[in-house]
Amino acid sequence: MSDRRFALVVRWMISAVCFLLILAGESMAASLDNYEPIKARQVITTAFPEAGEIRPLEENRAIKEVYAGDKLLGYTYQTLDFLQTPAYSGKPLDATVVLDTEGEIRATKVIHHDEPILLIGIPERKMHDFTDQYTGLAADQRVTVGGKSSETRVSVDGLSGATVTVMVINEVIMKSAHRVGVELGLVEGAGDARPPKANVKMDQFEPKAWQELAGDGSIRRLLLTRGQVDDSFRGTEAEGVDTTPADERNEPFIDLYTGYLNVPTIGRNLLGESQYDWLMGELQEGEHAIAVMASGDYSFKGSGYVRGGIFDRVQIRQFGDTFNFRDLDFYRLSDVYAEGMPEFSEMAIFIVRQQYKFDPGTEWALELTVKRQTGPLDSEFAVFPLTYQLPDQYYTRPEVELTEEQWLETQPMWVQVWYQKKFQVAVLGAGLVFLLFILFFQDWLVKKPKVTRWIRHAFLTYTLVFIGWYALGQLSVVNVLTFVHSLFAGFKWETFLIDPVMFVLWAVVAGIILLWGRAVYCGWLCPFGALQELVNEIARKLKVPQYTVPFPIHERLWAIKYIILLVLFGVSLDSMATAEQLAEVEPFKTAITLRFDRSWPFVTYAVLLVVVNIFTRKVFCRYMCPLGAALALPTKVRVFDWLKRRKECGNPCRLCEKECEVQAIHPDGTINYQECHYCLDCQMTYFDDNKCPPLIVKRRGKRRGQNSPGRPEQIPVTQVS
């Protein structure tokens, strides 16, 4: 009887365990109707209308299996879990991608972004039309935006006005699809455009003390003070949370070191002979060991890994990929044997597993995450990278000749964008060189008024058509606000290099402001300004009457654009997104970037400004443009005054003042460089002895012999049309 009872108990326990396992499996699965976010659910139902259940993949819970009953239909994931490539806004976007069991993209859609051109400008349906082009493409397909398709690549149509954005969308969709496809075994992994993996020189060893290892870069250090950590949370919800007292800001928060242990010279010197041999025996083929050591109040290990099996404070980033360590990837580092080593409060060895395809010869970063709690369920995070590059003497790398396409795929996103826009950059560069020639030789050029006007009108046409409508090089006050905020929130060159045309323009404008002030940009390089001036010139040719604003009123209207700039800057301190919306006071996006292809309120506003300009030149530029105001402020520090004046200017001669179309010359004859548009009209008059009254007097006096000291010169009256 006892045996039978024992058997019954065993059967009952087995049944209970099976029942619990079934419940656990069902709890991991979720009905598609309850799947969040809703936008992702819509993408899944578009790809598989019959789908009814979502199950997270056991090996990688970021990947979800899509089922119809017990039939596996495919897989879905969100790109943000795999790639965080910053887009034009400087922030990453998130897309949902659905793959079938053959590794083919069944549907994809961007479900979140912060792109200003798409938030206010281009309708989102156009972006969704763009992503619809990926339906039917294989996960390992090479895809480019624009150009022509070939045997090795597929070309998709871009989105005018959002070139950088769609290039980032292309990258995150295809790179993540390939990565997920490789992980699921749906496509081959040989398509990675990475350099050949470095081979560590395991047969070389040299005894070195701690200082030598730190000196040659074998060991890298990151020292964070309490003040640096507090500063990293400025402008976030966590600002002011757990703030360090002022007298403790320079105290160390954490003093962090890391080193790559597979190299004998590093590993043996740090671990000692026996510990190094043991570690190398534990590592499987393709695995790598990294030492992490620290002192200070902050623990890089934390306590989360005890509960969930993951270290949530440190991760590795390489090739744009990030991966965390689990408890099985962790070994205690009991002692370090390198001579001269400082004392550490915690030390650890982390193992980088084979599936991450870690390359020891390529730069990587150990990223330390610091969290500040802002609410019961809300937190803010700051990430501090400790960059590590293994010294060259420790490894070799096979040399492989890459094709141009393969080389390009190994480069950062901004390099790819520059390569694709090399024609625009070249033509823009040629135009800027020509403009500099005009400016440096302006005294010679303005003596030929007809040639000067012809050149100016041709250049304005180039600015409008090429720089504006084709290359989309219209600067905006949003660029200024973004730059100012980046100086406080962490400046990154990549944020600005992502758009080569805008970067080149801003670089040149910075130099121009130093030499000439804002006048040259507003008068020669602003596409919307060029549009207004060309329209006004046509109106004048057609004898459209012109209205001149009385100078006292004109002078007071200048203040409007500075008030607009101040309001936008103040709003941006609270919300950059709101400031971008208010920056629609600039008609640039409507008239230039989108070429008037926009909803009627925006088009009506832009057209109205152009119509007003028919009767009074550049009303928007003179009184409303916040970008002009932002560029006018540093104009005060220009090095030179390149526009020539005479002592007679303003008293008694006021010809240039009356002729200045933007009324930048004061009644006393001085030029206001903060309002000047550098049209050179006053300089053509200055050198024209048939038009400039002082020169006319001088010429006539010489001809008649009346220019003697005893007879004062008289300024002739000249009628101004």
Side-chain angles (χ1 to χ4, degrees):
M1 289 294 293
S2 60
D3 292 340
R4 289 182 62 189
R5 288 179 180 176
F6 178 76
L8 288 172
V9 171
V10 171
R11 288 179 182 176
W12 180 86
M13 292 178 63
I14 294 175
S15 299
V17 171
C18 292
F19 178 73
L20 291 174
L21 290 174
I22 292 172
L23 286 178
E26 290 180 350
S27 65
M28 293 175 64
S31 171
L32 183 58
D33 295 334
N34 300 323
Y35 184 70
E36 297 290 343
I38 296 176
K39 289 184 178 180
R41 186 195 314 164
Q42 294 170 345
V43 181
I44 298 171
T45 55
T46 300
F48 301 119
E50 69 275 27
E53 191 177 341
I54 299 293
R55 302 177 188 175
L57 190 68
E58 184 177 349
E59 295 80 5
N60 187 341
R61 296 178 65 84
I63 303 172
K64 308 296 191 298
E65 297 176 315
V66 183
Y67 281 87
D70 293 330
K71 181 182 178 182
L72 176 63
L73 301 176
Y75 307 88
T76 185
Y77 64 91
Q78 291 174 221
T79 58
L80 199 58
D81 291 327
F82 297 88
L83 289 171
Q84 295 83 38
T85 305
Y88 184 79
S89 63
K91 301 176 183 178
L93 49 81
D94 193 14
T96 294
V97 180
V98 181
L99 302 175
D100 63 17
T101 54
E102 300 298 323
E104 183 178 290
I105 298 176
R106 293 294 296 269
T108 182
K109 182 179 181 180
V110 175
I111 61 175
H112 176 77
H113 67 85
D114 296 285
E115 300 301 273
I117 192 65
L118 295 171
L119 291 172
I120 308 176
I122 299 175
E124 284 208 346
R125 59 176 174 78
K126 292 190 175 183
M127 178 180 63
H128 300 324
D129 291 342
F130 170 78
T131 55
D132 286 345
Q133 299 177 88
Y134 292 84
T135 302
L137 298 181
D140 58 353
Q141 178 68 59
R142 180 174 293 165
V143 181
T144 59
V145 178
K148 296 182 179 180
S149 298
S150 64
E151 294 181 358
T152 59
R153 68 179 183 183
V154 171
S155 175
V156 295
D157 295 330
L159 182 56
S160 180
T163 306
V164 174
T165 300
V166 296
M167 289 186 68
V168 174
I169 293 174
N170 174 66
E171 179 176 87
V172 298
I173 289 176
M174 295 313 302
K175 280 194 173 182
S176 63
H178 182 264
R179 185 179 307 171
V180 171
V182 170
E183 185 169 342
L184 296 172
L186 305 178
V187 296
E188 296 291 333
D192 287 341
R194 297 183 178 184
K197 186 174 293 187
N199 298 316
V200 176
K201 296 179 180 178
M202 301 298 294
D203 56 346
Q204 295 184 4
F205 172 75
E206 180 183 354
K208 288 188 177 183
W210 177 270
Q211 291 299 331
E212 295 177 277
L213 293 172
D216 66 8
S218 300
I219 296 174
R220 299 295 175 99
R221 180 190 189 191
L222 173 66
L223 175 61
L224 287 178
T225 64
R226 293 178 176 273
Q228 288 175 313
V229 175
D230 288 343
D231 293 343
S232 68
F233 288 99
R234 285 183 179 175
T236 70
E237 295 291 331
E239 182 175 359
V241 177
D242 297 333
T243 304
T244 303
D247 58 345
E248 299 179 7
R249 282 179 55 84
N250 293 326
E251 292 188 8
F253 180 77
I254 187 172
D255 193 4
L256 186 68
Y257 293 81
T258 190
Y260 178 69
L261 295 176
N262 290 47
V263 174
T265 299
I266 302 174
R268 288 187 187 276
N269 282 304
L270 286 180
L271 305 180
E273 190 78 24
S274 60
Q275 194 173 194
Y276 176 78
D277 291 340
W278 165 82
L279 178 62
M280 292 300 103
E282 290 290 315
L283 295 182
Q284 302 296 318
E285 183 179 354
E287 295 183 341
H288 308 266
I290 293 172
V292 181
M293 302 152 285
S295 59
D297 296 333
Y298 189 72
S299 168
F300 64 79
K301 290 188 293 186
S303 58
Y305 76 97
V306 176
R307 299 188 300 271
I310 297 178
F311 291 85
D312 58 357
R313 294 188 178 183
V314 289
Q315 65 178 9
I316 296 291
R317 181 182 294 274
Q318 188 182 62
F319 296 116
D321 303 335
T322 58
F323 41 90
N324 299 91
F325 299 109
R326 299 178 179 272
D327 51 355
L328 297 178
D329 305 324
F330 163 72
Y331 291 111
R332 295 185 182 276
L333 179 54
S334 57
D335 200 1
V336 176
Y337 294 89
E339 182 182 349
M341 177 201 78
E343 293 186 5
F344 296 115
S345 57
E346 59 179 351
M347 300 183 291
I349 297 174
F350 291 109
I351 308 301
V352 182
R353 300 300 178 184
Q354 183 182 20
Q355 64 265 28
Y356 296 122
K357 299 181 180 178
F358 182 80
D359 183 357
T362 298
E363 183 180 271
W364 52 273
L366 177 70
E367 295 184 338
L368 178 72
T369 300
V370 180
K371 182 176 73 171
R372 291 273 171 91
Q373 200 78 23
T374 58
L377 300 175
D378 298 323
S379 302
E380 290 286 344
F381 298 88
V383 178
F384 302 92
L386 170 52
T387 304
Y388 187 94
Q389 173 64 61
L390 188 66
D392 295 341
Q393 67 266 25
Y394 295 141
Y395 68 92
T396 60
R397 192 189 298 277
E399 294 184 5
V400 175
E401 293 186 7
L402 299 176
T403 65
E404 189 176 48
E405 289 183 358
Q406 290 173 331
W407 172 83
L408 192 61
E409 291 178 1
T410 65
Q411 303 306 307
M413 186 66 192
W414 69 268
V415 175
Q416 298 180 38
V417 177
W418 278 71
Y419 183 85
Q420 189 178 60
K421 291 194 173 185
K422 56 182 180 293
F423 170 75
Q424 290 95 319
V425 173
V427 177
L428 176 62
L432 293 173
V433 170
F434 182 70
L435 176 59
L436 291 176
F437 174 84
I438 293 173
L439 297 175
F440 279 111
F441 295 95
Q442 65 182 43
D443 289 351
W444 169 80
L445 187 63
V446 294
K447 294 176 183 178
K448 303 171 176 59
K450 290 184 178 180
V451 175
T452 302
R453 288 193 176 92
W454 184 89
I455 290 176
R456 176 163 173 77
H457 292 157
F459 197 92
L460 289 176
T461 304
Y462 158 83
T463 296
L464 173 62
V465 177
F466 177 79
I467 296 181
W469 286 338
Y470 179 76
L472 306 179
Q474 174 68 67
L475 304 187
S476 167
V477 70
V478 174
N479 305 133
V480 178
L481 298 176
T482 301
F483 176 76
V484 172
H485 279 262
S486 72
L487 296 178
F488 298 97
F491 180 85
K492 292 183 179 180
W493 280 108
E494 293 80 1
T495 304
F496 302 94
L497 286 167
I498 196 70
D499 191 330
V501 172
M502 300 290 275
F503 181 84
V504 171
L505 276 173
W506 272 115
V508 172
V509 168
I512 283 175
I513 290 177
L514 180 64
L515 297 178
W516 290 277
R518 61 88 101 147
V520 175
Y521 173 76
C522 295
W524 293 81
L525 291 173
C526 176
F528 187 72
L531 172 64
Q532 292 181 96
E533 185 161 340
L534 291 172
V535 169
N536 185 264
E537 285 291 331
I538 294 172
R540 289 169 182 268
K541 293 291 183 184
L542 297 176
K543 307 298 183 181
V544 175
Q546 299 294 303
Y547 175 74
T548 301
V549 181
F551 192 83
I553 299 176
H554 164 70
E555 191 174 27
R556 284 158 178 78
L557 291 177
W558 287 343
I560 296 176
K561 59 178 176 285
Y562 294 99
I563 294 173
I564 293 174
L565 174 64
L566 185 62
V567 170
L568 289 175
F569 177 71
V571 172
S572 72
L573 296 177
D574 179 65
S575 171
M576 191 65 190
T578 304
E580 289 172 355
Q581 293 176 336
L582 295 178
E584 286 296 325
V585 69
E586 297 177 326
F588 305 156
K589 191 180 297 181
T590 301
I592 304 301
T593 306
L594 300 177
R595 307 183 193 95
F596 293 99
D597 182 15
R598 206 175 181 189
S599 58
W600 70 266
F602 295 101
V603 174
T604 302
Y605 171 65
V607 170
L608 180 63
L609 291 174
V610 176
V611 170
V612 171
N613 165 78
I614 292 176
F615 304 98
T616 301
R617 180 173 289 192
K618 290 188 170 183
V619 170
F620 174 80
C621 300
R622 293 156 67 181
Y623 307 130
M624 298 174 61
C625 181
L627 175 62
L631 298 181
L633 295 177
T635 295
K636 286 183 173 292
V637 300
R638 68 187 185 282
V639 178
F640 305 111
D641 291 338
W642 291 64
L643 300 179
K644 292 180 169 58
R645 310 299 290 146
R646 302 184 189 280
K647 66 180 185 298
E648 296 90 350
C649 294
N651 184 23
C653 181
R654 298 180 64 180
L655 177 60
C656 290
E657 176 208 342
K658 301 300 182 183
E659 286 188 335
C660 182
E661 304 295 350
V662 295
Q663 297 175 264
I665 301 179
H666 287 251
D668 63 2
T670 59
I671 297 175
N672 186 342
Y673 277 83
Q674 291 177 284
E675 302 300 327
C676 175
H677 286 194
Y678 221 86
C679 64
L680 297 178
D681 283 353
C682 63
Q683 299 303 288
M684 286 185 277
T685 300
Y686 179 92
F687 286 100
D688 190 345
D689 61 2
N690 290 312
K691 189 175 182 182
C692 178
L695 287 184
I696 292 174
V697 170
K698 186 176 182 180
R699 176 172 55 81
R700 289 177 178 175
K702 286 184 178 180
R703 186 174 64 237
R704 298 175 183 175
Q706 296 177 347
N707 192 24
S708 61
R711 299 189 61 178
E713 299 178 359
Q714 295 180 349
I715 301 297
V717 175
T718 303
Q719 183 175 356
V720 179
S721 59

